[in-house]
Amino acid sequence: MNTYRVAQVAAAGGPFDIVEREVPQPGPGHVRIAVEACGICHSDTFFVDAQLPGVEFPVVPGHEIAGRIEELGEGTQNLGWQVGDRVVVGWFGGSCGHCKPCRQGDFIVCENLKVPGWTYDGGFAESMVAPADALARIPDALAPADAGPLGCAGVTTYNGLRRSSAQPGDLVAVLGIGGLGHLGVKYAAAMGFETVAIARGADKADLAKQLGAHHYVDSTATTVADALQSLGGAKVVLATAGSSDAIAATTDGLSHRGELVVIGAAPDPLAISPVQLLMAGKVVRGHPSGTAQDVQDTMAFSALHGIRPMVETMPLEQATEAYQKMLSGAARFRMVLITR
């Protein structure tokens, strides 16, 4: 087959069109992947709506890609990859290798980070080309539709928790039960934390317990900080909700030396005063996604503990419908495009 299909956006904020393109050849250090599934992340709006610099149209979004290697570029054989290998490419789509963060081994904050759908065509397609350093190997236990979302939603929550200051037995709260948060609750419970899920509405209490939470806080019925303090104070709050007000409202619920780990993207400033942080030595930090090795670690942990994202699948030709369902908040909890 000399052509493949993509779901592309021709102009900022435009609709998705299904277009045929010629099959690309992978260059040195790259591989071509036969895409089997691709999750739809809210961060895809950054590119579809040209909210970040350097976006060039037409855009093919998608950075939660699962598939199989179908062609190797020069030099990739020496890196241990073979045609047929099952791989994920996530938000981390490769690094430059020469900026200061890369030279320090901190590749996820590369100053020239490559992100699928931004710096090269993403996974809303039947085929795509990616740098070999972006590849994470999929365990046999994971299906493509489960593996794809772990390349962004999964690794961001898993890494955010495992790199936090929390130890098994500590009280850890996850703010938001959505595409990120539902995985955060599962990971927190599996890591041995006393897990609190925070969301809006009493109707989410049963879901929170099903996900593994030991406690549920309805933010519409109580003050979140007071609820956390009544449980002893949270050592860590993993803030997945995209609301600055909701994130800031958890600060006084932290214990001494508590840590607010922000992974939910929101444009508004956080209303947190220095006084809230100083006396108890609290920390607020942003947490980026994770490297290809981090994605592979996330998938291995998920396979070991039976953790899977909750997904809804649609075929590639329904990309517009799937994307709109993600935007509306009606997805439960990750929309995934199936291409094969």
Side-chain angles (χ1 to χ4, degrees), residues 175 237 239-251 260 262-273 276 284:
L175 173 65
V237 171
T240 76
S243 165
S244 295
D245 288 344
I247 294 170
T250 68
T251 307
L260 174 56
V262 180
I263 63 176
D268 303 320
L270 291 174
I272 299 173
S273 74
Q276 288 177 278
V284 180

Side-chain angles (χ1 to χ4, degrees), residues 65-286:
I65 305 149
R68 295 179 183 269
I69 295 176
E70 60 180 0
E71 186 173 352
L72 298 169
E74 180 183 349
T76 54
Q77 300 92 333
N78 300 331
L79 301 176
W81 298 108
Q82 298 179 3
V83 171
D85 284 348
R86 303 177 67 229
V87 294
V88 157
V89 178
W91 176 267
F92 177 84
S95 57
C96 72
H98 59 76
C99 68
K100 187 172 182 178
C102 283
R103 287 169 62 85
Q104 294 174 334
D106 200 357
F107 301 106
I108 189 58
V109 289
C110 169
E111 294 173 0
N112 306 291
L113 185 68
K114 303 169 187 175
V115 179
W118 185 8
T119 51
Y120 58 86
D121 287 344
F124 287 19
E126 294 175 328
S127 185
M128 56 93 67
V129 172
D133 67 329
L135 305 179
R137 198 177 299 275
I138 301 175
D140 291 340
L142 294 182
D146 294 328
L150 301 185
C152 182
V155 68
T156 304
T157 50
Y158 174 75
N159 240 15
L161 290 168
R162 74 165 173 169
R163 299 189 186 283
S164 75
S165 57
Q167 299 293 317
D170 284 344
L171 190 76
V172 170
V174 178
L175 173 65
I177 305 179
L180 292 168
H182 85 284
L183 284 168
V185 173
K186 289 186 176 187
Y187 288 135
M191 290 177 181
F193 303 137
E194 183 179 353
T195 303
V196 184
I198 306 169
R200 294 176 58 83
D203 58 318
K204 296 184 177 68
D206 288 343
L207 171 62
K209 296 298 176 65
Q210 292 169 16
L211 295 172
H214 303 96
H215 311 279
Y216 177 69
V217 174
D218 174 5
S219 62
T220 67
T222 187
T223 301
V224 170
D226 291 345
L228 292 178
Q229 288 298 340
S230 72
L231 295 170
K235 181 65 175 178
V236 168
V237 171
L238 183 72
T240 76
S243 165
S244 295
D245 288 344
I247 294 170
T250 68
T251 307
D252 288 337
L254 292 169
S255 67
H256 64 282
R257 302 287 181 187
E259 185 178 19
L260 174 56
V261 180
V262 180
I263 63 176
D268 303 320
L270 291 174
I272 299 173
S273 74
V275 173
Q276 288 177 278
L277 305 177
L278 289 171
M279 299 303 292
K282 298 174 183 177
V283 174
V284 180
R285 67 177 178 88

